Amino acid sequence: GGHDVAVAGGHRQLEALAGAGLRTFPLGPRPTAAPRTRLPLLEVDVERERNDVRERFVRRHARNRVSQAAPLLREWRPDAVVCDEMDYGTLLAAELADLPYAAVLVNASGSMITSDVVAEPLDELRAEHGLPRVPLEAMLARHLVLSPFPPSLPEPGLALPEQAFPFRAVTVERSDGKPPWPVARPDRPSVYFTLGTEFNVESGDLFARVLAGLRELPLNVVATLGNDIDPVELGPHPAHVHVARFIPQTQVLRHCAAVVSHGGSGSILGALAHGLPQVLIAMGADQ
């Protein structure tokens, strides 16, 4: 649209924008070159996830982020701020700078994060910066709310605020029409397996176990592990199984008949957009 756009965030997130022609502002310390720590697969525990939101996303991350984002907004002085609904520190920084903001929903179910989950640490943080106590829903809907989710996806009975604008994200990928991986058997359907970009390193041996099951089926299998996991560690695979760190999801899905995933919102929306049936292995968050 001709606007001057800058993107702020962690160093790891901004790496994906290299060469995109956008101005970037790295926030926080630069991570080490080592891959992220691999963690065992835990049983699903909703209360543990909500406590993680309360303690990590609000008490720790939001406090750090508001101290990083506030001076950036004062110096660069944008006309508006766009951030995801769980980036509480940036929402507060925009409010302190008296800037309009758009909160992009990332909690697909709509019920995972509510005022009672984050009220205490959020009230503390607002008080530290001289802001009055307000419910989370009021803070998110102060200006504009953007929702990439179909209205039928969130939990029934949870209505979007009046300021909400639903949209469908469209990603245009150049492709020659051929699958971006070697297809061993064109006469067999292909299945895509992913555990996303965050929970992939919290999956224990789940990659190995799912691949062990899928390779016994009359399918072509393509699996992406993420940049922190080396495909070599899963050993050799038969010709009909292709394992890679990363392949653009839109290029994979157009050639697949089904998706196996952890139920993350990006994987869910991609599969829905292509009309694909899904097998979901929920691990945490709002999955």
Side-chain angles (χ1 to χ4, degrees):
H3 305 302
D4 187 8
V5 179
V7 183
H11 292 262
R12 187 184 295 273
Q13 286 82 9
L14 296 184
E15 288 173 3
L17 296 175
L22 295 171
R23 184 181 311 194
T24 57
F25 294 111
L27 300 177
R30 181 177 292 278
T32 63
R36 289 184 296 166
T37 303
R38 304 282 292 281
L39 300 172
L41 179 64
L42 301 177
E43 290 188 17
V44 174
D45 184 336
V46 174
E47 286 309 311
R48 182 187 68 230
E49 297 296 323
R50 287 177 171 161
N51 185 67
D52 187 48
V53 170
R54 183 184 302 111
E55 300 302 324
R56 184 161 64 99
F57 280 84
V58 185
R59 277 211 163 88
R60 191 162 79 244
H61 288 345
R63 180 169 279 106
N64 292 337
R65 180 53 59 88
V66 71
S67 67
Q68 298 159 356
L72 172 60
L73 296 181
R74 286 195 301 268
E75 293 165 16
W76 196 62
R77 197 61 193 178
D79 295 294
V81 175
V82 180
C83 64
D84 80 61
E85 63 173 316
M86 293 181 64
D87 190 359
Y88 305 111
T90 299
L91 291 172
L92 286 177
E95 187 176 345
L96 288 168
D98 197 25
L99 293 172
Y101 55 79
V104 184
L105 301 186
V106 296
N107 176 23
S109 72
S111 62
M112 173 71 193
I113 305 161
T114 54
S115 272
D116 63 300
V117 174
V118 301
E120 182 182 339
L122 194 57
D123 288 346
E124 293 172 359
L125 188 55
R126 292 183 65 87
E128 289 176 15
H129 292 278
L131 296 173
R133 177 185 300 179
V134 297
L136 173 64
E137 292 81 4
M139 189 175 96
L140 290 176
R142 182 182 297 272
H143 299 285
L144 176 66
V145 174
L146 298 173
S147 174
F149 305 115
S152 58
L153 184 60
E155 201 163 295
L158 295 176
L160 291 174
E162 291 183 6
Q163 298 91 333
F165 183 85
F167 71 96
R168 177 173 175 175
V170 177
T171 303
V172 179
E173 298 281 357
R174 288 193 174 91
S175 173
D176 58 6
K178 298 178 182 178
W181 78 93
V183 177
R185 293 286 301 271
D187 59 324
R188 292 181 175 185
S190 296
V191 167
Y192 177 47
F193 170 40
T194 177
L195 295 179
T197 56
E198 295 298 324
F199 280 80
N200 57 332
V201 294
E202 302 176 26
S203 60
D205 64 347
L206 188 58
F207 274 115
R209 291 191 286 120
V210 173
L211 285 172
L214 288 176
R215 70 185 177 201
E216 299 301 319
L217 303 174
L219 304 166
N220 292 303
V221 179
V222 56
T224 53
L225 310 181
N227 291 328
D228 294 296
I229 303 176
D230 189 343
V232 172
E233 75 176 62
L234 293 175
H237 303 283
H240 66 286
V241 177
H242 180 75
V243 180
R245 290 181 188 265
F246 174 78
I247 305 175
Q249 180 173 267
T250 53
Q251 291 187 24
V252 176
L253 293 177
R254 69 181 66 178
H255 300 287
C256 288
V259 173
V260 179
S261 83
H262 59 311
S265 57
S267 302
I268 288 277
L269 286 177
L272 287 176
H274 287 78
L276 299 179
Q278 306 177 61
V279 176
L280 305 180
I281 310 169
M283 297 169 60
D286 64 332
Q287 297 159 11

